[in-house]
Amino acid sequence: MDARTEPRRRTSEQNVVAQLAATPGRSARQWTDLPERCLELNWPEIGVLALQHRVEGLLCAALTEAGCADQVPASVLSMLRRQAARAEARYRTCHDALAELAGRAPNLVSELVFFKGAGIATRYESRAHRMLGDFDLIVAEDRADELRRHLLELGFWEKPGRNGPTYFRNTSDLPEAGVEPACFDVHVDAPPKYNRTEVTRGPLWLSSTEPSVLGGIACRRLPVEMEIVELISHSSEHALSWIHVCVDDDVRMIRHLDVELLCEQEQVDAGRVGKLAQELGLTGEFALGLAVHEALRGGLPPVLEPLRPLVEPVRDLVDVVALPDGRLETWPVPLAERAFRTDRGALALAMMPDGRRHRDQWFHWRQGLLEGSEDVAAIAHRAEERVRSVLAV
């Protein structure tokens, strides 16, 4: 075994990120030895882990809560603060654009279903605590053209996708200068089954939605059990994808803090969650996502404990990765350790032949990913077969 891939225990630096909670106060309480050891830690490594896990704002606030911020290197602390401000700016830019859209098409916006970061960011103590890249939304197929027309009239440009388009609008002629673009990731009729070749447009996603308000704007949301199914399934499909590892988007703590926050703030019926995973055709992805959550967080949220029987049959599959050339490989480092290493991308590249370990290839492979070349679905189907007997009980 190569020294770079030798399994190792979490370091104190990795535990600083691993022990984060959805609130700064709880994070500070969990860092029992941080105040005494703060000056000994490798803060550049902690900063990179925070970036990879999208918890920069939470980490920054928790350090202040713990009374340790003034002991962190100034450059690392400055980066965390800039990223926290960026998270807030991203939300504000997307929300302002949504307000524009609602001003010209309120009846349309009131039927749009917002999920993931768009709705969850406001549940944190501050929007600076929850980095997001866009507002994800579901639109009914018969209103997709109307939405497209309004967004184009508002100056957005469209990037087509297999599961629906993404719309972007730069707020500056110099987006590289750090001004955040407005971005809407549009899913027609349903969220996608990530990395699968089939398109899923089950009627449940739209027929089960609830009225909601997003910063004063009338819209709709998924019921909490459906939102949890989507979040957990989404996390597994990223964790098993080689290309997502290469772009540091494989295992992100923030997705799992989202789940914990929903479980804490709302009445969640675990039986309903499990049943919805079956009805939506996401049994394999959902069981894998629970196993990813357990590996990352050391257990499941208490309210989801009744679903633990789904984890045991698939636990080993979270260490399988789908490569863009069709191969399925097993990681040499288990997920509980791998998730808190900053060199996951290097480990992924080492799986490819020497001549294919350079950036130019990534974009070619990513196009292949969109066409289903990464067989993440094969891992999900294997998981689905394993948990079938559990679900039949």
Side-chain angles (χ1 to χ4, degrees), residues 290-322:
L290 288 175
V292 170
H293 189 101
E294 180 194 65
L296 192 69
R297 303 295 287 157
L300 300 180
V303 73
L304 298 183
E305 273 296 325
L307 299 171
R308 178 166 295 283
L310 297 178
V311 175
E312 186 61 37
V314 304
R315 188 175 281 120
D316 63 308
L317 292 180
V318 301
D319 290 319
V320 178
V321 61

Side-chain angles (χ1 to χ4, degrees), residues 315-351:
R315 188 175 281 120
D316 63 308
L317 292 180
V318 301
D319 290 319
V320 178
V321 61
L323 278 71
D325 57 10
R327 288 181 292 146
L328 299 181
E329 292 286 346
T330 300
W331 288 100
V333 181
L335 179 63
E337 300 168 17
R338 185 174 75 249
F340 298 100
R341 287 179 58 164
T342 56
D343 63 346
R344 298 191 306 280
L347 296 179
L349 282 173
M351 292 180 172

Side-chain angles (χ1 to χ4, degrees), residues 48-71:
V48 172
L49 279 171
L51 282 167
Q52 291 179 341
H53 284 278
R54 289 288 196 258
V55 291
E56 308 96 306
L58 267 174
L59 176 59
C60 187
L63 288 170
T64 299
E65 185 81 21
C68 298
D70 60 349
Q71 299 175 54

Side-chain angles (χ1 to χ4, degrees), residues 81-122:
R81 286 172 173 166
R82 285 197 307 271
Q83 286 295 103
R86 189 180 183 196
E88 203 155 14
R90 279 187 174 182
Y91 188 93
R92 185 172 58 251
T93 299
C94 290
H95 185 272
D96 289 349
L98 178 61
E100 283 186 73
L101 179 63
R104 60 162 58 213
N107 292 333
L108 170 64
V109 172
S110 68
E111 294 302 317
L112 300 180
V113 184
F114 289 87
F115 65 109
K116 293 204 296 190
I120 294 176
T122 58

Side-chain angles (χ1 to χ4, degrees), residues 5 63 142-143 187 214 218 260 275 291 311-312 344 374:
T5 61
L63 288 170
D142 60 2
R143 304 207 74 174
H187 309 284
L214 202 58
E260 292 174 4
K275 184 173 174 57
V311 175
E312 186 61 37
R344 298 191 306 280
E374 279 193 331

